[in-house]
């Protein structure tokens, strides 16, 4: 949940209005403790607040990523945490810290590895006054640590210090858990958040301060049967049951068929290799050779390279921004790029050959990169060069894909020009016409040689009813540079449709149709 070695946990869409809820703890027949949460219906005024926080959340997500067999068929020996669903954009549950236990609402985030909650010593941050605060003096099992901690975000940072105490998760107690007491939470993001803190479920490799993650201690202390955990998200935001996370097993009541497993390729985030992406059954052409992807419970939407998200935007009619640089590339160089592609010129060299990029041996990079450092160079001119290079690189991929579909030259240039008007907004918001949902195409991802489809009603977030309803695309652009990128982030929009298993023992992730 930080830059550098850490990740961060913030849902892309956050909110500010309060929901009334009632806490219930019940013991099921299988001796599992199930913590139930209830909420009242959403009001439409929440959309405006959600959009405000969406802009903040998109900035945070950019900082975050810019720098099968053997699974038990039942969860009788597992630990189950019920989750709460807010607008299909945040899923969170309750934990307790200390003796006697102090209650906190947290996001269970597979994209970070630290546990943090607000501290009672947080005096000068408004956010701390809206959330539960940990009081070390009230806990008989508290142990002082004091090591400073700072986690950076796009709009600021949280800072504080490490402490140690027991953490109650469901009905198991994780002893002597190191966590962060946050003493500063600047910015509107944490004021707006529906959660108090974050419980990271990523690997230790991205843990801030080398703290041992909660999940590692659950395994090491023998608190669960199998070293796996699984997520089920209830995408019906009107229901009180937001879903559940199961530690140590899976709940067969929440998926159909068998999970498709893929191995983890990079420890830190739960990252794996993914195949091609299709829109309406047609390849987008970007991931034909494979792409990196990660399953991330702490991100609300599906984030992917601008090149592909633009194509999705065009097909679903999502609002975008007109890129004059993109249009200039099509107007001035479009025919030249097409001719070079048809003459079998190496695609990765085209933009450097026409002078918009330089070739680094793998692909084109902006000619403006070095000039930004030059104090005599106008910064706006450098940014223009960056945009022209990026537009050219995207145009090459788009044209390649259209040529594979045997489109005419005239049709290709017309289509690319349309895409220049559908580039995702820098703030990440892409509204769509609710009345057009029925005609929107299926978007599908290839994972483990299997196709995972998302229908329009599954990837569009709808707020309100009737004429007052407003709809937002479940796809947002995020360009992660090599070597970590390009990277797809399969957040709650995807995990809400596909039950997800995180297998720490076998270092693999599994997906099955959720029910």
């Amino acid at each position: 949940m930080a830059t550098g070695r850490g990740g961060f946990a913030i849902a892309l869409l956050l909110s500010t209005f309060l929901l009334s809820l009632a806490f219930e703890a019940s013991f099921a027949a299988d001796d599992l403790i199930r913590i139930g949460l209830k909420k009242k219906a959403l009001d439409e005024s929440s959309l405006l607040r959600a959009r405000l926080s969406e802009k903040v959340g998109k900035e945070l997500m950019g900082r975050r990523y810019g720098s099968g067999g053997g699974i038990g068929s039942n969860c009788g020996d597992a630990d189950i945490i019920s989750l709460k669903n807010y607008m299909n954009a945040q899923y969170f549950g309750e934990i307790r810290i200390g003796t006697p236990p102090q209650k906190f609402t947290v996001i269970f985030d597979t994209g970070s590895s630290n546990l943090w909650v607000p501290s009672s010593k947080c005096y000068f941050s408004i956010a701390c006054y809206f959330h539960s605060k940990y009081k070390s003096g009230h806990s008989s099992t508290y142990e002082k640590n004091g090591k400073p901690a700072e986690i950076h975000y796009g709009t600021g940072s949280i800072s504080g210090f490490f402490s140690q105490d027991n953490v109650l998760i469901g009905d198991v107690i994780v002893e002597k858990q190191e966590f962060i007491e946050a003493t500063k939470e600047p910015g509107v993001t944490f004021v707006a958040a529906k959660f108090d803190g974050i419980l990271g479920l990523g690997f230790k490799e991205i843990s801030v301060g080398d703290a041992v993650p909660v999940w590692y201690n659950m395994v090491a202390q023998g608190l669960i049967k199998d070293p796996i955990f699984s997520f089920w998200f209830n995408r019906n935001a009107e229901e009180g049951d937001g879903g559940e996370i199961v530690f140590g097993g899976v709940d067969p009541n929440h998926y159909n068929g068998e999970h498709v497993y893929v191995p983890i390729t990079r420890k830190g985030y739960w990252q794996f290799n993914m195949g091609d992406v299709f829109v309406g059954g047609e390849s987008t052409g970007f991931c034909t050779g494979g792409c990196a992807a990660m399953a991330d419970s702490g991100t609300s939407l599906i984030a992917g390279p601008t090149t592909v998200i633009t194509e999705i935007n065009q097909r679903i009619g999502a609002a975008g921004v007109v890129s004059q640089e993109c249009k200039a590339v099509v107007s001035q160089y479009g025919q030249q790029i097409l001719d070079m592609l048809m003459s079998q010129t190496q695609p990765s060299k085209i933009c450097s050959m026409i002078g918009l990029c330089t070739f680094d041996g793998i692909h084109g990079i902006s000619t403006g990169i070095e000039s930004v450092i030059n104090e005599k160079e106008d910064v706006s001119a450098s940014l223009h060069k960056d945009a022209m290079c990026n537009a050219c690189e995207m145009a090459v991929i788009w044209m390649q894909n259209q040529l594979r579909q045997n489109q005419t030259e005239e049709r290709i240039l017309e289509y690319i020009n349309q895409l220049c008007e559908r580039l995702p907004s820098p703030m990440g918001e892409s509204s769509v016409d609710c009345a057009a949902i029925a005609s929107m195409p299926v978007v599908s991802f290839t994972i483990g040689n299997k196709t995972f489809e998302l229908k329009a009603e599954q990837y569009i977030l709808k707020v309100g009813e009737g004429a007052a309803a407003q709809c937002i695309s479940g796809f947002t652009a995020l360009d992660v540079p090599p070597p970590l990128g390009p990277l797809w982030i399969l957040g709650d929009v995807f995990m809400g449709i596909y039950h997800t298993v995180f297998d720490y023992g076998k270092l693999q992730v599994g997906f099955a149709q959720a029910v």
Side-chain angles (χ1 to χ4, degrees), residues 391-405:
C392 180
E393 293 284 302
M394 289 191 292
V396 169
I397 294 173
W398 292 335
M399 289 184 185
Q400 271 187 288
N401 199 39
Q402 290 295 296
L403 286 171
R404 293 191 190 101
Q405 299 175 30

Side-chain angles (χ1 to χ4, degrees), residues 14-17 49 52-53 86 90 127 130-131 187-195:
L14 305 178
S15 63
T16 53
F17 85 98
R49 297 181 175 92
L52 170 65
S53 294
Y86 174 66
Q90 293 180 51
F130 289 90
H131 296 96
V188 69
T189 305
F190 301 109
V191 176
K194 300 299 298 181
F195 51 88

Side-chain angles (χ1 to χ4, degrees), residues 270-282:
W270 289 85
Q271 185 173 323
F272 56 91
N273 288 330
M274 185 183 78
D276 206 357
V277 179
F278 297 83
V279 182
E282 297 178 354

Side-chain angles (χ1 to χ4, degrees), residues 201-212:
L201 292 170
F203 291 90
K204 188 178 179 180
E205 281 77 359
I206 60 171
S207 177
V208 172
D210 290 325
V212 178

